[in-house]
Amino acid sequence: MGKIAVDLEAALARRDTLGVPGDTRMRTLAAGDGWSVTDVLCTFGPRDRPFEERHAGVCIAMVVAGAFGYRSAAGRELLTPGSLLLGNAGECFECGHRHAPGDRCVSFHYQPEYFERLAADMGLSRTDASFRHARMPPLRVFSSLIARACSGATHSAPVAWDELAVDLADLTLRSTQADAKRCASATSATSASAWSRVTQAVRLIDETPDAPHPLASLARLCGLSDFYFLRSFERVTGVTPHQYVLRARLRHAALRLVDEDAKIVDIAFDSGFNDVSNFNHAFRAEFGMSPRAWRTQRGARRCEARKA
């Protein structure tokens, strides 16, 4: 389990030991003219009552640990690691942990005028700068940005947060415009039982990304047939179980490459890959570079920051 998830588990353990209600801790990671980035660690659980909040500005939050329900005018979604929470300025929303406690997000906030200016520079209208859906599922195009944000949130590597804020807005807007159907709120018609079962499977995968996790065993865990589990998982998360497991393993490996000096082959095996060539191929497809290049690039930036 990476440091991002370890910190969340430690906070949940403290909450249980003290017997106190859940809360939300926010830590500002960076801020600039029109944007800010916050590390949000939430320890709310099934016994805590959800409450309504309002987005002060445009929000794109990377879910990096845990899972939670998110309801807004755009629909109801289950947010899992690797997915993005999308919120429009002034929009009311509610987050709940009916099926499992705790989550952690790296949340990017944009002043409406700044976000609209970014959209205009991309050739989009003001209408196109408004999100029609509440979530982007865990997609490959966001993997590198999320891994960079996780490294920055744990102080394992420096991050050019201003560039990342622009890149994230750009990629999110282009993705929502190009693939609106995939972002549609299919989960609004999904039963609470399916949400609970899928959440259980997601937690297991994120806690043990190195384990095999074949479809049949995940389906048995959830008390469903292979067919119904596959369809339920895809409806709730936006990706198949295989895609989710692969992304969880690659996120785990990407963070270890920066945090540790272990051999790449050992990280590959520890992350659930039984063949180094398959690991190298999957990593390059996900992050656009080899594991060695990723480690060298992120490590060089960390050394530069220490010298500064």
Side-chain angles (χ1 to χ4, degrees):
M1 189 185 300
K3 191 176 187 311
I4 284 281
V6 168
D7 289 346
L8 173 60
E9 292 303 318
L12 290 172
R14 284 195 300 271
R15 171 201 154 150
D16 291 341
T17 300
L18 296 173
V20 296
D23 62 9
T24 301
R25 301 177 186 178
M26 301 183 184
R27 176 171 60 98
T28 299
L29 299 173
D33 187 12
W35 62 272
S36 64
V37 188
T38 306
D39 180 10
V40 183
L41 196 154
C42 173
T43 58
F44 279 85
R47 289 177 292 181
D48 295 299
R49 184 176 180 180
F51 58 93
E52 191 173 84
E53 302 176 73
R54 184 185 298 271
H55 291 295
V58 178
C59 176
I60 305 176
M62 300 173 170
V63 184
V64 297
F68 60 96
Y70 176 63
R71 183 177 62 83
S72 70
R76 185 173 70 103
E77 303 284 359
L78 179 66
L79 276 296
T80 60
S83 61
L84 303 181
L85 178 157
L86 308 179
N88 296 308
E91 188 174 69
C92 292
F93 68 97
E94 181 182 278
C95 292
H97 294 78
R98 179 178 177 182
H99 306 296
D103 69 85
R104 189 174 182 181
C105 297
V106 178
S107 188
F108 289 74
H109 302 274
Y110 305 85
Q111 293 180 8
E113 297 79 9
Y114 178 76
F115 197 76
E116 288 176 7
R117 190 162 66 248
L118 289 177
D121 290 342
M122 294 168 55
L124 301 176
S125 67
R126 175 177 293 186
T127 301
D128 292 332
S130 179
F131 299 127
R132 297 180 179 86
H133 307 289
R135 178 200 68 177
M136 284 295 292
L139 301 178
R140 173 179 292 172
V141 293
F142 296 105
S143 294
S144 179
L145 300 185
I146 293 173
R148 286 162 54 191
C150 286
S151 294
T154 59
H155 304 296
S156 60
V159 172
W161 291 107
D162 51 355
E163 296 179 4
L164 187 53
V166 172
D167 287 341
L168 179 62
D170 182 3
L171 189 55
T172 301
L173 284 172
R174 293 188 189 281
S175 297
T176 54
Q177 294 298 312
D179 204 2
K181 289 184 179 180
R182 181 167 55 192
C183 301
S185 183
T187 57
S188 59
T190 305
S191 69
S193 175
W195 270 48
S196 177
R197 294 176 182 187
V198 170
T199 301
Q200 185 179 9
V202 163
R203 283 294 178 111
L204 176 65
I205 293 169
D206 289 320
E207 290 171 1
T208 57
D210 56 315
H213 299 308
L215 177 65
S217 67
L218 291 172
R220 282 196 301 271
L221 171 72
C222 296
L224 296 171
S225 69
D226 292 4
F227 175 83
Y228 283 111
F229 173 74
L230 176 60
R231 293 294 175 261
S232 296
F233 193 97
E234 194 167 11
R235 280 199 303 270
V236 172
T237 67
V239 293
T240 67
H242 173 75
Q243 291 169 328
Y244 192 92
V245 170
L246 180 61
R247 299 237 154 82
R249 289 174 175 170
L250 290 170
R251 283 196 305 271
H252 176 76
L255 293 176
R256 284 196 61 191
L257 285 167
V258 178
D259 292 342
E260 304 174 16
D261 294 326
K263 294 180 180 179
I264 291 176
V265 62
D266 292 335
I267 290 178
F269 290 147
D270 290 346
S271 299
F273 293 88
N274 55 15
D275 184 275
V276 178
S277 62
N278 287 340
F279 170 68
N280 289 333
H281 176 77
F283 195 96
R284 187 182 293 275
E286 193 80 2
F287 297 106
M289 63 182 72
S290 70
R292 189 175 302 279
W294 174 270
R295 167 178 272 174
T296 301
Q297 182 187 86
R298 306 306 299 170
R301 290 182 180 177
R302 180 167 55 180
C303 290
E304 290 173 1
R306 287 175 176 173
K307 292 178 181 178

